[in-house]
Amino acid sequence: MKAFRINRYSKTDTLALVEVPAPKIKEHEVLVEIYAASINQLDAKLKHGDFKLLLPYKMPLILGHDVAGVIVQVGSKVKNFQVGDEIYARLPDFSIGGFAEYVAIDENDIALKPTNMTMEEAASIPLVGLTAWQALVEIAQIKKGQKVFIQAGSGGVGTIAIQLAKYLGAKVATTASKNSFDQLSALGADLLIDYKTEKFEDIISDYDVVLHSQDTKTLEKCFGILKPGGKVISISGPPTVDFAQDLGLAWYMKLIISLLSRGIEKKANKLKIDYTFLFMRANGQQLAEITKLIEANQLKAVIDQIFPFEKTNDALTYVESGRAKGKVVVTRSLKD
């Protein structure tokens, strides 16, 4: 099969298009022919080596975390899926490989593709959808009437998180450039803040939840807009000791993370703010719940550009530029 892979961590090397054997499935896995895959900032960061201490992958490595496709083979103990099923998934850490023609996935990590979405639309959902779900439903447990601040509303996570928070009954504020305001308002944002000319910390206050995705300086500003007992869920860090323990990291990594997060956690505790670092995980059951919302027209995909599979390097470069509004997808199905 064809696949795009890296041979080493690098900020300058491009992905190499190579011929490799198709994966062999285990008894609880399915083999999926990939029709579409989305590009995430996580792919770029892995390529650059930003997570090499947290996620020590072996090289060479096929990147790609989000896929949509058709099951072409099932393992002997697979119970809930069959050949021919159209599925989508966020591939679990250490089992990625979406920039390829085929991938093996454990059945617990997949869900049936929403019937009202194309393969390209479905491929854009899993990582950002699960991030929003785990932040807003699992951790924040948002209730109707609460106020939620979502940073970078026009990004992949932001566009889904706005819709999910609105579905949960929250009042939603977000930051973006003015040229994204109409789109984000249509997705459900109640208050739009132009990050180029306005400071969110001067405009909003007494919020219940913040979904943080930027730098530490911005994180500290978020503490000031929350009411006592409010929650900050960060997808950009710093990571916490709880995260290090959950990941089973070595003692020296736990020590490093403890030192990195000590200042933030001290400030959060002083202000009676609950700070959580989220490194989202694959979860087929949660993805199935997201499917229900999509099929009920409560969530929709927001796609910036679709590239052919052969242009995966161009798609990754575009994501790295930071200009994408919504998701970037590569596809084989449009060609075929």
Side-chain angles (χ1 to χ4, degrees), residues 65-68 81 86-91 105-114 117 121-134 138 160 280-295 299:
H65 291 77
D66 280 335
V67 298
F81 298 91
E86 296 185 347
I87 63 91
Y88 68 151
R90 191 284 200 194
L91 304 178
I105 321 174
D106 189 288
E107 73 165 327
N108 290 325
D109 296 322
I110 66 178
L112 293 174
K113 181 184 76 67
M117 277 190 168
E121 289 170 331
S124 76
I125 294 292
L127 187 145
V128 295
L130 288 169
T131 299
W133 185 277
Q134 289 166 19
E138 186 175 77
I160 296 298
M280 65 78 57
R281 65 195 185 282
N283 189 309
Q285 282 190 322
Q286 290 180 348
L287 195 56
E289 293 300 315
I290 292 169
T291 299
K292 294 176 185 177
L293 295 184
I294 292 170
E295 292 182 341
L299 296 178

Side-chain angles (χ1 to χ4, degrees), residues 123-190:
S124 76
I125 294 292
L127 187 145
V128 295
L130 288 169
T131 299
W133 185 277
Q134 289 166 19
L136 303 180
V137 177
E138 186 175 77
I139 298 173
Q141 298 179 11
I142 288 176
K143 298 176 178 60
K144 186 175 181 179
Q146 288 188 317
K147 296 193 293 184
V148 178
F149 175 48
I150 296 167
Q151 293 181 333
S154 63
V157 172
T159 52
I160 296 298
I162 288 169
Q163 296 177 75
L164 181 58
K166 197 64 182 177
Y167 168 77
L168 294 170
K171 176 183 178 181
V172 182
T174 192
T175 49
S177 60
K178 275 195 171 180
N179 61 6
S180 298
F181 278 13
D182 288 345
Q183 179 189 47
L184 299 183
S185 179
L187 293 178
D190 298 289

Side-chain angles (χ1 to χ4, degrees), residues 136-288:
L136 303 180
V137 177
E138 186 175 77
I139 298 173
Q141 298 179 11
I142 288 176
K143 298 176 178 60
K144 186 175 181 179
Q146 288 188 317
K147 296 193 293 184
V148 178
F149 175 48
I150 296 167
Q151 293 181 333
S154 63
V157 172
T159 52
I160 296 298
I162 288 169
Q163 296 177 75
L164 181 58
K166 197 64 182 177
Y167 168 77
L168 294 170
K171 176 183 178 181
V172 182
T174 192
T175 49
S177 60
K178 275 195 171 180
N179 61 6
S180 298
F181 278 13
D182 288 345
Q183 179 189 47
L184 299 183
S185 179
L187 293 178
D190 298 289
L191 178 60
L192 296 151
I193 301 167
D194 184 354
Y195 73 89
K196 294 181 179 179
T197 61
E198 298 175 306
K199 297 180 179 179
F200 71 85
E201 66 271 24
D202 293 338
I203 297 173
I204 57 179
S205 60
D206 293 323
Y207 268 58
D208 298 283
V209 176
V210 171
L211 179 53
H212 167 260
S213 58
Q214 298 178 319
D215 57 23
T216 302
K217 185 177 179 180
T218 306
L219 174 60
E220 293 179 0
K221 293 177 182 177
C222 290
F223 291 162
I225 70 166
L226 286 164
K227 60 179 63 172
K231 297 180 180 180
V232 175
I233 299 106
S234 176
I235 58 175
S236 58
T240 61
V241 174
D242 287 343
F243 161 75
Q245 290 174 341
D246 290 343
L247 211 60
L249 298 179
W251 67 267
Y252 60 89
M253 284 302 300
K254 292 179 182 177
L255 178 60
I256 292 170
I257 287 173
S258 175
L259 294 173
L260 288 173
S261 63
R262 181 176 296 171
I264 286 296
E265 293 198 288
K266 186 176 180 180
K267 289 178 181 177
N269 291 335
K270 184 177 180 181
L271 295 170
K272 298 181 180 179
I273 299 297
D274 180 16
Y275 172 71
T276 303
F277 172 69
L278 171 62
F279 197 86
M280 65 78 57
R281 65 195 185 282
N283 189 309
Q285 282 190 322
Q286 290 180 348
L287 195 56

Side-chain angles (χ1 to χ4, degrees), residues 9 11 41 44-55:
Y9 294 118
K11 292 187 178 181
Q41 284 289 350
K45 291 179 178 180
L46 277 181
K47 175 180 173 290
H48 298 166
D50 293 354
F51 293 120
K52 60 186 176 183
L53 293 178
L54 296 178
L55 299 172

